[in-house]
Amino acid sequence: AQKITQTQPGMFVQEKEAVTLDCTYDTSDQSYGLFWYKQPSSGEMIFLIYQGSYDEQNATEGRYSLNFQKARKSANLVISASQLGDSAMYFCAMSRRTSYDKVIFGPGTSLSVIP
Amino acid sequence: NAGVTQTPKFQVLKTGQSMTLQCAQDMNHEYMSWYRQDPGMGLRLIHYSVGAGITDQGEVPNGYNVSRSTTEDFPLRLLSAAPSQTSVYFCASAEDQESYEQYFGPGTRLTVT
């Protein structure tokens, strides 16, 4: 069965420093996609970054990068130069590649950025 | 573009009542979905649709019905509300099933007493 694990329920980071949020996954699919979403205290879900299982390069979107290690089944999110507005819940998710009929989310990591 | 809109934002139901959560998008997206989010958990997929007239079940479909008569609208019906359905409900859309970016609505907070 597919499963997403996020072992850090809460993280703290100093403003302007980098932080890594961990995500490991389990799937028997050969082709799959990995996502990260941000949920601020206001409640909306914001798409951050996507990595396909066959993509050779790690995905990057501005200050966000995804450290994809396929053999270890990990897809960690790296946020560089943290800002106060980065304080939020972060969810790792997985689906069949570009297909949502088996999308699953992890339990989330709460990130607090300290000034 | 309004994006993905959901109504109502808050709702309180008594056990056994029925209601419909509304979801609409104005981006001409083919794919739409409903999730629920419970405390300490990520989102769980309830139902999804890959186009008008086509719906399918996700991970937790029991107690919920959906229909997709138009591209824009994807209502979620609770047939007989139960306290276990107390949750925050999110609707999302994507351009099509091959897209990887989903756009989420603001959510509906439902309490069943």
Side-chain angles (χ1 to χ4, degrees):
Chain A
Q2 291 182 311
K3 185 179 179 181
I4 295 278
T5 302
Q6 294 180 255
T7 57
Q8 307 152 313
M11 291 278 288
F12 291 88
V13 64
Q14 204 76 37
E15 194 178 4
K16 299 181 185 176
E17 291 187 350
V19 63
T20 297
L21 306 184
D22 294 341
C23 172
T24 57
Y25 60 92
D26 190 18
T27 182
S28 57
D29 290 337
Q30 294 301 310
S31 179
Y32 49 89
L34 296 156
F35 308 76
W36 278 92
Y37 286 87
K38 173 183 178 181
Q39 187 176 41
S41 58
S42 52
E44 73 269 29
M45 295 289 289
I46 303 167
F47 166 80
L48 294 178
I49 197 166
Y50 166 85
Q51 176 86 42
S53 59
Y54 286 108
D55 294 340
E56 293 184 355
Q57 301 263 8
N58 284 345
T60 60
E61 289 285 348
R63 294 186 298 111
Y64 304 107
S65 59
L66 200 153
N67 184 1
F68 180 48
Q69 299 188 41
K70 192 171 182 177
R72 293 186 176 186
K73 293 191 174 179
S74 75
N76 298 339
L77 178 70
V78 180
I79 305 175
S80 63
S82 297
Q83 301 171 356
L84 296 178
D86 294 335
S87 294
M89 284 291 291
Y90 289 81
F91 292 95
C92 180
M94 175 174 64
S95 72
R96 287 182 183 169
R97 188 181 178 92
T98 68
S99 172
Y100 293 106
D101 58 350
K102 279 192 175 181
V103 62
I104 59 168
F105 281 73
T109 294
S110 175
L111 177 67
S112 297
V113 180
I114 304 166
Chain B
N1 282 355
V4 180
T5 58
Q6 292 183 238
T7 56
K9 290 190 176 176
F10 302 94
Q11 183 70 49
V12 179
L13 290 177
K14 291 188 188 317
T15 297
Q17 287 185 317
S18 62
M19 81 158 294
T20 299
L21 306 185
Q22 300 293 343
C23 174
Q25 51 89 11
D26 62 358
M27 298 174 282
N28 201 32
H29 284 175
E30 292 184 6
Y31 180 91
M32 296 185 74
S33 56
W34 276 101
Y35 296 87
R36 59 177 290 173
Q37 183 179 27
D38 300 305
M41 301 181 70
L43 277 67
R44 290 184 292 170
L45 183 64
I46 305 172
H47 285 285
Y48 67 97
S49 168
V50 299
I54 306 169
T55 64
D56 207 343
Q57 297 180 350
E59 181 184 356
V60 288
N62 292 342
Y64 307 95
N65 273 359
V66 292
S67 60
R68 185 96 179 268
S69 56
T70 67
T71 300
E72 295 77 19
D73 300 300
F74 190 44
L76 178 72
R77 296 185 189 83
L78 279 71
L79 307 172
S80 177
S84 60
Q85 293 179 305
T86 294
S87 189
V88 179
Y89 291 84
F90 287 97
C91 179
S93 75
E95 187 171 346
D96 53 43
Q97 200 175 8
E98 299 303 310
S99 305
Y100 53 79
E101 180 170 357
Q102 288 199 82
Y103 298 81
F104 282 80
T108 293
R109 186 173 294 274
L110 175 68
T111 301
V112 183
T113 61

